[in-house]
Amino acid sequence: VQLQASGGGLVQAGGSLRLSCAASGRTFSSSSMAWFRQRPGKEREFVSSVLWVGGDPKYSDSVKGRFTISKDGAQKMVYLQMNGLEPEDTAVYYCAAAPPKTTYYRDYASLSFYKSWGQGTLVTVSS
């Protein structure tokens, strides 16, 4: 699966951005998609995930209530609507895809669960 993330940019605190991730290639081999981010000087961390079919989206505590993940299965697109952005949200955001696994509900926040990664898109939130 090839992933292309886009939509990053510079925004003021309190503003919004919408990230997009386009999946192509062997997309039938992917059952879940996720967004991770890597803040300056920090390790890559889980942000949100969603199954292509069914299930409830998952969020990290730091973005719950502000970010919303959505999907378009027909177009193989995944989005991350980010509202109420804070300077602490400044990061490179990556989309990722995982193959079908029964351990999704245990491992959805784990980096190693995802086998395909996009190139990342930079989000900068100014104070």
Side-chain angles (χ1 to χ4, degrees):
V1 178
Q2 289 77 51
L3 303 174
Q4 180 74 38
S6 61
L10 174 64
V11 64
Q12 289 188 328
S16 298
L17 277 176
R18 187 195 196 205
L19 304 183
S20 299
C21 178
S24 61
R26 297 169 61 90
T27 56
F28 60 85
S29 65
S30 161
S31 68
S32 60
M33 299 286 291
W35 288 96
F36 284 75
R37 69 184 181 186
Q38 189 160 14
R39 294 185 276 188
K42 304 283 188 178
E43 295 186 349
R44 197 171 298 190
E45 63 180 358
F46 172 78
V47 174
S48 181
S49 66
V50 67
L51 289 164
W52 281 119
V53 179
D56 295 324
K58 303 296 184 184
Y59 299 96
S60 67
D61 289 342
S62 61
V63 307
K64 198 174 294 181
R66 299 187 297 123
F67 291 10
T68 303
I69 193 169
S70 61
K71 61 192 177 184
D72 182 336
Q75 299 296 322
K76 291 302 180 184
M77 295 289 296
V78 176
Y79 305 97
L80 187 69
Q81 178 66 43
M82 306 185 294
N83 299 329
L85 283 162
E86 304 167 351
E88 294 73 25
D89 296 315
T90 294
V92 177
Y93 285 73
Y94 299 88
C95 59
K101 289 185 180 180
T102 59
T103 61
Y104 170 78
Y105 287 104
R106 184 191 72 188
D107 298 330
Y108 63 85
S110 173
L111 278 165
S112 61
F113 185 70
Y114 299 89
K115 301 307 180 185
S116 300
W117 292 85
Q119 85 288 1
T121 184
L122 176 63
V123 172
T124 303
V125 184
S126 63
S127 57

